[in-house]
Amino acid sequence: MEIYLWASRKREEGLDFDSAAPPEQAWRRRLNSHANILKEFSVTFMEAIKMVRLGIRLWSYVREEASHGRKAPIDPFTRISCKPSASQGVPLGGMGSGSISRGFRGEFRQWQIVPGTCEPSPVMANQFSIFISRDGGNKHYASVLAPGQHEGLGKAGDQGIDSWGWNLSGQHSTYHALFPRAWTIYDGEPDPELKISCRQISPFIPHNYRDSSLPTAVFVYTLVNTGKDRAKVSLLFTWANSIGGISHLSGDHVNEPFLGDDGVSGVLLHHKTARGNPPVTFAVAACETQNVNVTVLPCFGLSEGSCVTAKGMWGTMVQDGQFDRENFKSGPSMPSSPGEALCAAVSASAWVEPHGKCTVAFALAWSSPKVKFLKGSSYHRRYTKFYGTSEGAAQDLVHDALMNYKRWEEDIEKWQNPILRDDRLPEWYKFTLFNELYFLVAGGTVWIDSRLPAPDKRNHRNGEKTDVKGTEAEVNLSDGALVKHTTTSDYYSEDESVVNHEGSNSYSQHHPITLLNEENDSDDGGRFLYLEGVEYVMWCTYDVHFYASFALLELFPKIELNIQRDFAKAVLSEDGRKVKFLAEGNTGIRKLRGAVPHDLGTHDPWNEMNAYNIHDTSQWKDLNPKFVLQVYRDFAATGDMSFGVDVWPAVRAAMEYMEQFDRDGDCLIENDGFPDQTYDTWTVHGVSAYCGCLWLAALQAAAAMALQLGDKPFAEYCKGKFLKAKSVFEEKLWNGSYFNYDSGSSSNSKSIQTDQLAGQCTLQKIFDFNVMKVKGGRMGAVNGMHPNGKVDETCMQSREIWTGVTYGVAATMILAGMEKEAFTTAEGIFTAGWSEEGYGYWFQTPEAWTMDGHFRSLIYMRPLSIWGMQWALSMPKTVLQAPEINIMDRISISPSAAAISHEFGVRKITNKAKCFGAAVFHCSC
């Protein structure tokens, strides 16, 4: 329990005001904890032999993309210079405006300002430091507020940051994390008679679609003087003009001091990015009060030739505890030269009386108004809707952050406290639930102003138009109104691409989604992207979003509905451009009408989808059923009828598309002998537990949605297919205790797959075998297990433990009334990934780890599925205990249902159509 419980010790003696002390339920590490290097997985010899052709083709593709200045979405060959370590912490800022992470020892790292790129190395000049002197002059302390033994030190020369006072041992200092806040408590370090709390606050506030988009964070220092002498305390915030890596050396950067309203003063750092990326302006600031004096040093360098060196700056603070007030009048600096680092410093000084307390607040903002993708499309980030696009936005952001952070904290606590105070929930689960949300900030998220953005005007004289087909469908409302659903996109090749964004749904324009936003009821929520992972650079990968989407639906439902609208539009489109698929070496077209895309793209999202090119995902069997299931869940959960009308044509198209995979006419789809689903190295033959059950559930969901939208013939049609397919599924796969992996005759056809979504019938078997036979349940659920209790080593993925799948099966256990088993299953992910005796994957939860704890793909989307557990826990007991509400029982099949035509469109929508309050859909497999 010591790992994750805050030992209150009189509520941290003196830190029991102004939220200075962390909550009892918070993830904790001592600052002197060793940040071990993480170990990456490796393939076995036999796996390598099987994938050698794929490896050669992938290598060629990676090189080809590099020749165009682009990074391939999957690149296992390029190694980063900074080896990943167990050093991460809570990231900074809201969603979708670029992110910066902060390690638990205080370093600023994982820079994701440019979309799709991540600079993992810390910028060590970015630090908080403290300088203390007491009356009588006998005691002086000066130290960076980070441990002295740290990567990145000792590289800058005597005039650089290694000349600073790295005197903190970290032995008595502790980091506490409860996303989106973090606390660092310095208990008598460096001054034994001064307690210090640093509280990091970011505006991640559920259902607040304004503040949650802001690229800013606040650091509130609470100082408690336990000594008998008055203490003068100066806190220093230093910041390099850099967006990570070696960008600080590229030149043409400018720093500029400012004196703002309400005592907010600091420095603006204007950064000129390389490779034509949009510029960035940082603002570092502190808030001057009656007791707090703010001064700045607009420029200092890290080398001997600088006008003011890092060593000279430190010496000034040691001697004076502040900078010259005249520095505010210095104006913009001269642009930096290539190879020259440009840094800034903000000091806030205060006297703290004996046994007195003082609060000092700093803020950081980074403003990059325009997001530009490598193939040319540009958009304005969502926060510009509220702050505009000028360089001065950064100053406004830090001002508002310092004025509003207390309100943010009140909203955060109001959201989190009901869960934190729920005695039924395990302590580890409470804070892991919130901390896994780090991915919605650090997962490369992009959030733009509108669902229908207007691209920048570009010269497209060389544009070569490509064959892309659209679809128009009609919906006849009960009042006789005719609504046309039109989906079109015009594509042009390469960097000069111009996209027609006019393919909208006229119904949604006149009937915005009904979910209210406290900040702006008319706001549509904007358009949102997040990566599959920082190593798998594809936006909104849909087979993974299937698991992760519970977090967005619960916390930002407008975003979730708009992602589904994006995919619904994509279903009805076709992109005829040729693509080479690397696994088989064959060629096909990028996007087929009726197929749900694997992702929204990489280098030109929304306009060039399916960046994934290992397999032809138009042949995958899980994407379309997952689309139908998610759409129905979201429709039922939100009660948004306009959303249902918007996406219904795509739901029907997705279901009709799947009929080609019913090879024998038994109403059940078959897999085609290759990895044609999210487990893309795990081959499937014939009927499979995973895809077959998804199909059965999708038939039920489509029937339910059709009934509620007034399309009764299609509801009858789906129910008829379901009843026939269900019996075939059970006949071919059920073996008495679980469903076999597939109906083939391979060595692993009888394996127990954790992710067989049939759930209730097989959960005990999965728990006993896939969970408890893997290190006593302390690792999570292995994907595949032979019935003899040995791990299925058919392929790389069958022997892996997938973090998000483990959370997902735990959610299914909760729905089945197996809460004890559910929390035991999920606790394996906490133990292996987040606990002190684990492997060090906190705030970088990977897609998977092996039996020996080696990771694959850090900072991955799927572990957001822990919010599926919370969703299941929130279900009314009357829903969980009442299978008779299954909507399939409400559908009677007419004799003509089997011969229903496949024409596209909604037959009839009645005004009386209502969404059922039950947000859970029972799969009767």
Side-chain angles (χ1 to χ4, degrees):
M1 299 294 286
E2 181 188 46
I3 299 167
Y4 46 81
L5 286 182
W6 170 244
S8 59
R9 287 186 332 187
K10 301 181 185 177
R11 195 58 178 160
E12 268 316 308
E13 241 182 86
L15 295 178
D16 55 351
F17 77 105
D18 192 32
S19 300
E24 292 183 0
Q25 299 88 357
W27 181 88
R28 186 177 77 167
R29 281 296 175 277
R30 291 198 182 277
L31 262 62
N32 66 344
S33 297
H34 176 61
N36 58 288
I37 300 298
L38 305 180
K39 296 180 179 180
E40 191 168 8
F41 86 108
S42 59
V43 297
T44 66
F45 177 76
M46 289 305 300
E47 289 167 352
I49 292 296
K50 292 178 182 178
M51 293 191 290
V52 66
R53 289 187 177 90
L54 168 61
I56 293 170
R57 295 187 192 109
L58 183 56
W59 168 251
S60 177
Y61 174 68
V62 167
R63 293 186 64 186
E64 179 186 355
E65 286 293 283
S67 72
H68 294 290
R70 299 189 295 261
K71 178 176 172 61
I74 300 175
D75 177 6
F77 308 108
T78 304
R79 296 300 176 193
I80 59 175
S81 57
C82 174
K83 292 184 178 180
S85 62
S87 56
Q88 301 287 16
V90 174
L92 307 174
M95 300 187 296
S97 295
S99 70
I100 306 166
S101 291
R102 193 172 184 226
F104 74 88
R105 295 180 299 183
E107 71 278 13
F108 294 86
R109 60 193 310 141
Q110 293 293 134
W111 299 75
Q112 297 186 74
I113 306 298
V114 176
T117 64
C118 180
E119 293 285 357
S121 299
V123 176
M124 293 303 295
N126 298 350
Q127 297 290 344
F128 285 101
S129 303
I130 194 166
F131 304 84
I132 307 162
S133 60
R134 292 187 175 270
D135 278 354
N138 296 324
K139 297 178 181 178
H140 297 274
Y141 304 91
S143 180
V144 178
L145 289 173
Q149 299 301 316
H150 202 290
E151 60 189 288
L153 293 179
K155 299 180 181 179
D158 291 341
Q159 300 299 315
I161 61 172
D162 58 340
S163 64
W164 295 355
W166 299 88
N167 303 317
L168 198 78
S169 72
Q171 182 178 356
H172 302 293
S173 301
T174 317
Y175 179 85
H176 307 256
L178 188 66
F179 179 89
R181 295 190 293 173
W183 293 255
T184 306
I185 308 300
Y186 305 90
D187 193 357
E189 287 190 278
D191 182 346
E193 295 181 328
L194 187 70
K195 290 184 180 294
I196 308 165
S197 165
C198 173
R199 189 164 83 257
Q200 173 187 312
I201 307 150
S202 292
F204 182 97
I205 305 165
H207 306 285
N208 183 331
Y209 295 83
R210 181 191 187 279
D211 292 354
S212 297
S213 72
L214 304 184
T216 187
V218 176
F219 306 89
V220 181
Y221 279 84
T222 302
L223 310 172
V224 179
N225 185 359
T226 61
K228 299 179 181 179
D229 299 317
R230 190 170 67 143
K232 182 182 180 182
V233 180
S234 296
L235 287 160
L236 178 70
F237 189 13
T238 51
W239 196 259
N241 197 324
S242 169
I243 58 170
I246 59 172
S247 61
H248 58 293
L249 301 176
S250 59
D252 282 337
H253 310 315
V254 173
N255 290 1
E256 176 184 9
F258 69 88
L259 274 169
D261 296 334
D262 301 308
V264 176
S265 304
V267 181
L268 298 175
L269 299 88
H270 305 291
H271 184 88
K272 184 178 180 180
T273 58
R275 300 177 185 174
N277 286 308
V280 183
T281 297
F282 293 96
V284 287
C287 190
E288 191 162 84
T289 65
Q290 186 175 0
N291 188 42
V292 178
N293 179 50
V294 177
T295 58
V296 301
L297 181 64
C299 299
F300 70 89
L302 302 179
S303 59
E304 189 171 348
S306 305
C307 181
V308 178
T309 64
K311 182 177 182 180
M313 181 278 299
W314 188 266
T316 298
M317 287 300 300
V318 170
Q319 180 176 325
D320 302 329
Q322 62 185 28
F323 302 114
D324 192 333
R325 292 286 298 185
E326 292 297 309
N327 289 345
F328 281 114
K329 301 177 183 179
S330 62
S333 68
M334 292 294 292
S336 63
S337 301
E340 175 189 9
L342 195 61
C343 305
V346 177
S347 168
S349 305
W351 285 98
V352 187
E353 299 298 324
H355 306 291
K357 303 171 184 178
C358 181
T359 298
V360 179
F362 292 88
L364 168 70
W366 52 100
S367 177
S368 183
K370 184 179 291 187
V371 56
K372 180 181 178 182
F373 295 99
L374 280 179
K375 287 193 175 180
S377 294
S378 297
Y379 309 88
H380 283 122
R381 296 187 190 267
R382 178 169 172 81
Y383 78 91
T384 64
K385 178 183 178 77
F386 316 108
Y387 283 86
T389 60
S390 74
E391 293 180 343
Q395 181 177 335
D396 295 334
L397 282 162
V398 287
H399 170 273
D400 291 356
L402 288 167
M403 296 299 104
N404 295 326
Y405 74 84
K406 291 183 180 179
R407 175 176 58 82
W408 294 345
E409 288 194 285
E410 290 173 1
D411 292 343
I412 291 167
E413 290 172 4
K414 183 178 179 180
W415 158 48
Q416 292 183 337
N417 281 343
I419 294 173
L420 297 178
R421 294 171 180 171
D422 190 339
D423 294 335
R424 300 170 301 169
L425 302 176
E427 296 300 307
W428 67 265
Y429 169 80
K430 295 176 184 179
F431 59 78
T432 307
L433 177 72
F434 293 114
N435 285 338
E436 288 284 18
L437 290 171
Y438 84 93
F439 188 83
L440 290 177
V441 172
T445 53
V446 172
W447 195 0
I448 64 173
D449 179 22
S450 170
R451 288 194 292 118
L452 297 172
D456 284 356
K457 294 180 180 179
R458 294 185 295 276
N459 179 0
H460 52 276
R461 61 184 181 277
N462 297 322
E464 180 183 342
K465 194 167 182 177
T466 310
D467 178 27
V468 180
K469 299 176 182 178
T471 299
E472 182 175 290
E474 295 182 353
V475 177
N476 290 297
L477 300 181
S478 58
D479 60 4
L482 181 66
V483 179
K484 290 186 177 181
H485 294 249
T486 305
T487 304
T488 59
S489 293
D490 294 332
Y491 290 87
Y492 293 79
S493 65
E494 298 305 320
D495 295 337
E496 305 297 334
S497 62
V498 173
V499 184
N500 171 18
H501 294 274
E502 300 304 320
S504 61
N505 181 301
S506 58
Y507 186 89
S508 64
Q509 288 179 344
H510 295 291
H511 300 269
I513 60 179
T514 58
L515 301 174
L516 297 182
N517 173 18
E518 295 177 2
E519 299 297 322
N520 184 352
D521 289 351
S522 65
D523 188 358
D524 68 8
R527 218 170 185 191
F528 190 84
L529 299 169
Y530 64 149
L531 292 174
E532 178 177 338
V534 297
E535 298 178 40
Y536 296 162
V537 187
M538 295 164 283
W539 302 107
C540 296
T541 299
Y542 201 75
D543 54 310
V544 184
H545 179 70
F546 176 72
Y547 300 81
S549 57
F550 283 97
L552 286 173
L553 179 60
E554 177 74 18
L555 305 176
F556 296 96
K558 287 187 179 182
I559 290 176
E560 166 62 11
L561 295 191
N562 284 344
I563 290 175
Q564 301 296 5
R565 283 187 169 97
D566 282 337
F567 276 91
K569 180 179 177 181
V571 168
L572 304 180
S573 296
E574 184 164 305
D575 183 349
R577 284 174 289 186
K578 298 294 184 180
V579 175
K580 182 176 181 179
F581 301 112
L582 304 179
E584 295 82 17
N586 59 315
T587 300
I589 71 170
R590 180 175 290 277
K591 168 69 179 67
L592 283 174
R593 182 198 172 279
V596 174
H598 172 273
D599 55 80
L600 292 178
T602 292
H603 299 308
D604 196 8
W606 297 300
N607 307 321
E608 185 180 88
M609 292 170 284
N610 278 337
Y612 177 92
N613 61 349
I614 305 296
H615 299 287
D616 180 359
T617 59
S618 69
Q619 300 300 302
W620 277 19
K621 311 307 184 292
D622 62 335
L623 289 169
N624 282 39
K626 285 174 175 177
F627 171 72
V628 175
L629 287 167
Q630 287 185 76
V631 163
Y632 178 70
R633 177 203 60 192
D634 296 350
F635 175 56
T638 62
D640 191 326
M641 185 58 65
S642 69
F643 169 73
V645 172
D646 288 348
V647 301
W648 179 242
V651 170
R652 283 201 55 165
M655 293 299 290
E656 291 162 1
Y657 182 87
M658 292 300 293
E659 293 183 5
Q660 65 182 297
F661 304 125
D662 176 11
R663 313 293 188 190
D664 52 9
D666 61 0
C667 298
L668 191 63
I669 62 171
E670 287 88 32
N671 293 82
D672 285 327
F674 74 99
D676 50 358
Q677 27 73 45
T678 192
Y679 296 89
D680 58 355
T681 69
W682 201 355
T683 297
V684 196
H685 299 274
V687 176
S688 73
Y690 183 63
C691 296
C693 191
L694 282 170
W695 172 241
L696 291 175
L699 285 168
Q700 296 181 85
M705 192 169 181
L707 189 66
Q708 294 172 59
L709 290 174
D711 192 354
K712 188 175 180 181
F714 193 71
E716 294 176 358
Y717 177 70
C718 289
K719 179 174 181 178
K721 290 182 77 71
F722 167 76
L723 293 175
K724 185 175 180 181
K726 177 176 179 288
S727 62
V728 175
F729 182 78
E730 292 174 347
E731 177 185 344
K732 291 190 174 182
L733 295 182
W734 181 247
N735 61 24
S737 60
Y738 65 93
F739 290 97
N740 291 335
Y741 175 70
D742 64 27
S743 62
S745 56
S746 65
S747 61
N748 69 316
S749 288
K750 290 183 169 55
S751 287
I752 308 164
Q753 184 181 12
T754 290
D755 212 1
Q756 51 179 289
L757 300 180
Q760 289 86 339
C761 308
T762 60
L763 288 172
Q764 191 62 50
K765 188 78 172 184
I766 291 169
F767 179 76
D768 292 341
F769 278 69
N770 300 56
V771 177
M772 297 309 295
K773 289 186 181 297
V774 180
K775 297 191 177 180
R778 297 179 63 79
M779 291 283 287
V782 69
N783 283 336
M785 179 73 76
H786 288 297
N788 62 3
K790 293 185 178 180
V791 172
D792 182 346
E793 297 189 351
T794 303
C795 67
M796 174 183 75
Q797 292 174 342
S798 64
R799 62 182 172 89
E800 288 180 329
I801 293 158
W802 283 15
T803 54
V805 167
T806 298
Y807 286 143
V809 76
T812 310
M813 289 175 177
I814 291 169
L815 288 172
M818 299 170 60
E819 286 192 14
K820 180 179 178 182
E821 292 87 347
F823 284 119
T824 298
T825 298
E827 189 174 5
I829 301 301
F830 166 76
T831 301
W834 288 81
S835 73
E836 197 153 18
E837 66 262 29
Y839 299 106
Y841 297 130
W842 47 83
F843 299 103
Q844 52 188 334
T845 315
E847 152 80 308
W849 50 65
T850 58
M851 303 294 287
D852 53 4
H854 294 190
F855 75 88
R856 181 170 62 80
S857 187
L858 293 172
I859 312 181
Y860 195 79
M861 180 200 295
R862 203 183 322 247
L864 285 170
S865 61
I866 192 173
W867 280 85
M869 294 180 65
Q870 189 61 24
W871 186 272
L873 288 165
S874 303
M875 288 295 155
K877 293 296 182 184
T878 54
V879 173
L880 296 178
Q881 297 171 359
E884 65 272 13
I885 71 168
N886 192 317
I887 200 167
M888 296 297 277
D889 297 334
R890 304 188 182 197
I891 303 172
S892 59
I893 304 178
S894 63
S896 61
I900 185 174
S901 68
H902 291 241
E903 69 183 38
F904 199 84
V906 178
R907 304 297 182 123
K908 185 178 180 182
I909 298 179
T910 66
N911 283 331
K912 295 181 180 179
K914 302 291 183 183
C915 293
F916 290 90
V920 63
F921 193 88
H922 292 276
C923 175
S924 305
C925 299

